[in-house]
């Protein structure tokens, strides 16, 4: 029998079931999921409302190319439109986050007829060759160089350097409003405003990568709404599919015809089952006021993380239900210990414990996180 290639750390746990914020292993042990498949299961595992939409769609049709219209895509665009500020009139469908980032870069190149992409220190934008080119972490890129050569990295959150970074050859500036993978680092309002000004002045596109921050997690539907700075394009993915794979680029209406037929495409894009899930997820987001719940529970979570009472924990970062606890030591040593206490978490950067729980977590769940984190940080490892 073949084996599945390994390039991830193995936790030695076999997950057999999930419901909302919990997962269960084959021993019947329950875990509070603050990993959520890197933020994907933000609306919970097997959320009944989304599951029902998927179940119904499974009886209808699954695979229909974008040449045809389908009820699933109609339901999606009608629900998703209600989540978009009015300036954004067009959505490009893809299957993953990295594919959405690739699409956004292609759009910027074609719209501006320029080639240089500006990204920032500690950025993460994906793992395919184009998006990897604008991802900062050496450990992800080194083995695959040379990558796309026309990339400049600026210093994240250094507004004073933005002016000289964007010249006449820059097609776009790509930035995460809150860096996820790179350490749960919120952008400063000044930094995003400076990027907005200089890109407008130089006719380059401002692209926000909201694949991790978007779809309610930070307490607004889109993190940029908390800053009051609007991009020209932005990407979304992860939570948007309600657990199924999706990536999208959202753009101003006038960019809608950027690609000629044949110039861009993706076989699985707009798959009916995925569309049904993303439509239901979008409906649910409004119906249950998910951003407001993320904001409220995010405050509870931040307070709990700040109460760990250990000397190695420094400070809590992030917004809503995207939170990091910065440590004085490497964070990955604590992931397995937290798991053994029934809490799944992630790292971000070298020394940040990252929590990306579903919107449905309760005060009781937050109490479990608090006690697990303080026990783990206190025990000598
Ligand atoms: C996860 C992520 C991506 C890549 O998405 P995939 O679906 O893994 O390809 C890109 N940008 C950000 C900010 C992400 O968090």
């Amino acid at each position: 029998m073949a084996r599945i290639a390994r390039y991830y750390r193995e936790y030695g746990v076999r997950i057999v079931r999930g419901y909302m914020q919990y997962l269960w292993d084959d021993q019947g042990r329950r875990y509070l999921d603050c990993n959520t498949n890197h933020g994907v299961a933000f609306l919970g595992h097997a959320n009944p409302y989304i599951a029902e939409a998927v179940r119904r769609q499974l009886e209808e049709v699954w695979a229909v190319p974008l040449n045809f219209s389908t009820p699933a895509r109609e339901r999606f665009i009608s629900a998703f439109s209600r989540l978009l500020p009015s300036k954004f009139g067009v959505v490009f469908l893809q299957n993953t986050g990295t594919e959405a980032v690739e699409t956004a870069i292609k759009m910027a190149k074609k719209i501006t007829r320029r080639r240089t992409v500006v990204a920032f220190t500690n950025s993460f934008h994906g793992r395919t060759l184009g998006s990897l080119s604008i991802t900062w972490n050496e450990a992800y890129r080194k083995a695959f160089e040379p990558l796309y050569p026309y990339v400049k990295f600026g210093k994240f959150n250094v507004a004073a350097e933005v002016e000289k970074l964007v010249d006449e050859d820059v097609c776009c500036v790509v930035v995460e409003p809150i860096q996820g993978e790179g350490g749960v680092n919120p952008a400063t309002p000044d930094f995003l405003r400076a990027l907005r000004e200089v890109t407008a002045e130089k006719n380059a596109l401002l692209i926000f990568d909201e694949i991790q921050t978007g779809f309610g997690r930070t307490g607004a539907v889109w993190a940029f709404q908390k800053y009051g700075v609007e991009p020209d394009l932005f990407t979304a993915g992860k939570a948007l599919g309600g657990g199924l794979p999706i990536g999208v680029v959202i753009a101003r209406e006038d960019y809608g015809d950027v690609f000629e037929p044949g110039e861009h495409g993706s076989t699985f894009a707009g798959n009916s089952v995925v569309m049904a899930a993303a439509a239901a997820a979008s409906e649910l987001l409004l119906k249950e006021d998910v951003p407001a719940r993320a904001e409220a529970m995010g405050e509870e979570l931040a307070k709990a993380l700040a109460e760990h009472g250990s000397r190695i924990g420094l400070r809590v970062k992030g917004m809503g239900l995207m939170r990091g606890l910065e440590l004085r030591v490497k964070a990955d040593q604590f992931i397995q210990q937290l798991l053994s206490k029934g809490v799944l978490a992630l790292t971000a950067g070298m020394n940040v414990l990252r929590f990306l729980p579903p919107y449905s977590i309760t005060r009781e769940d937050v109490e479990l996180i608090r006690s697990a984190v303080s026990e783990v940080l206190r025990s000598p490892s």
Side-chain angles (χ1 to χ4, degrees):
M1 194 166 94
R3 64 184 178 84
I4 293 171
R6 281 185 193 171
Y7 39 88
Y8 287 90
R9 177 163 311 162
E10 301 242 347
Y11 294 141
V13 172
R14 187 159 169 266
I15 299 295
V16 295
R17 192 162 70 85
Y19 186 74
M20 296 309 287
Q21 62 268 43
Y22 306 114
L23 292 171
W24 285 266
D25 69 14
D26 58 2
Q27 310 295 304
R29 278 209 57 185
R30 193 189 84 172
Y31 302 87
L32 174 62
D33 189 7
C34 301
N35 170 319
T36 51
N37 193 359
H38 301 266
V40 165
F42 175 54
L43 297 183
H45 294 280
N47 183 301
Y49 185 76
I50 301 169
E52 178 57 24
V54 168
R55 241 187 324 267
R56 273 200 225 148
Q57 189 60 46
L58 286 174
E59 302 291 325
E60 305 293 335
V61 66
W62 301 9
V64 183
L66 289 170
N67 314 74
F68 300 91
S69 57
T70 63
R73 285 199 278 268
E74 288 157 13
R75 179 177 170 186
F76 167 72
I77 198 65
S78 127
F80 191 60
S81 295
R82 297 173 61 203
L83 306 180
L84 300 178
S86 58
K87 160 174 162 183
F88 298 99
V90 58
V91 180
F92 293 76
L93 299 174
Q94 307 284 324
N95 308 289
T96 62
T98 193
E99 227 189 321
V101 171
E102 300 279 342
T103 302
I105 295 172
K106 284 170 79 174
M107 289 173 70
K109 289 189 74 178
K110 191 163 180 220
I111 290 164
T112 63
R113 308 253 161 224
R114 301 170 180 177
R115 60 186 181 183
T116 299
V117 182
V118 169
F120 295 94
T121 50
N122 294 311
S123 62
F124 181 85
H125 299 295
R127 307 259 195 187
T128 52
L129 292 176
S131 64
L132 189 58
S133 304
I134 59 169
T135 289
W136 168 256
N137 192 337
E138 279 266 296
Y140 300 163
R141 336 162 17 108
K142 193 123 190 74
F144 312 107
E145 289 173 348
L147 296 166
Y148 184 65
Y150 307 108
V151 176
K152 285 199 286 190
F153 286 102
K155 289 203 195 90
F156 186 69
N157 273 348
V158 182
E161 289 184 12
V162 155
E163 185 70 42
K164 67 168 195 277
L165 210 54
V166 182
D167 61 25
E168 307 299 326
D169 192 48
V170 171
C171 63
C172 62
V173 172
V174 186
V175 67
E176 299 153 84
I178 304 173
Q179 294 184 327
E181 194 68 30
V184 193
N185 309 314
T188 59
D190 279 357
F191 180 62
L192 293 190
R193 274 198 294 269
L195 291 177
R196 179 63 285 179
E197 271 170 36
V198 71
T199 48
E201 188 187 307
K202 301 281 173 63
N203 290 315
L205 299 190
L206 179 60
I207 300 176
F208 287 165
D209 182 346
E210 290 249 17
I211 290 166
Q212 192 162 145
T213 51
F215 212 65
R217 182 171 284 288
T218 66
V221 180
W222 309 108
F224 68 74
Q225 295 172 306
K226 291 203 134 181
Y227 288 90
V229 179
E230 283 191 345
D232 299 299
L233 311 178
F234 65 102
T235 56
K238 292 203 165 105
L240 167 59
L244 296 187
I246 193 169
V248 298
V249 177
I250 298 121
R252 283 167 31 185
E253 165 63 33
D254 50 322
Y255 295 143
D257 298 320
V258 55
F259 297 126
E260 304 294 326
E263 224 170 31
H264 192 62
S266 185
T267 300
F268 288 108
N271 174 278
S272 300
V273 180
V274 174
M275 286 284 98
S282 302
E283 291 161 8
L284 194 78
L285 191 113
L286 285 184
K287 210 160 66 105
E288 304 211 345
D289 204 352
V290 167
R293 291 179 65 164
E295 179 75 25
M297 288 316 292
E299 289 302 315
E300 301 284 323
L301 176 59
K303 256 186 264 162
L305 289 175
E307 277 169 16
H308 53 77
S310 90
R311 279 189 309 261
I312 59 172
L314 280 173
R315 61 186 172 130
V316 180
K317 308 193 285 183
M319 291 181 194
L321 288 173
M322 177 176 184
R323 295 285 176 173
L325 174 58
E326 190 175 43
L327 307 178
R328 287 180 209 278
V329 295
K330 280 193 183 170
D332 63 354
Q333 58 187 316
F334 300 110
I335 296 293
Q336 192 87 33
Q337 294 176 54
L338 283 172
L339 180 149
S340 73
K341 299 197 180 299
V343 175
L344 307 185
L346 293 157
T347 59
M350 288 293 268
N351 61 340
V352 174
L353 276 176
R354 179 171 38 152
F355 297 85
L356 300 175
Y359 80 107
S360 53
I361 61 162
T362 61
R363 290 209 157 79
E364 217 180 329
D365 295 326
V366 170
E367 183 51 32
L368 173 62
I369 297 169
R370 196 197 59 74
S371 64
V373 167
S374 44
E375 278 171 45
V376 160
L377 294 189
R378 236 169 270 164
S379 68
S381 55

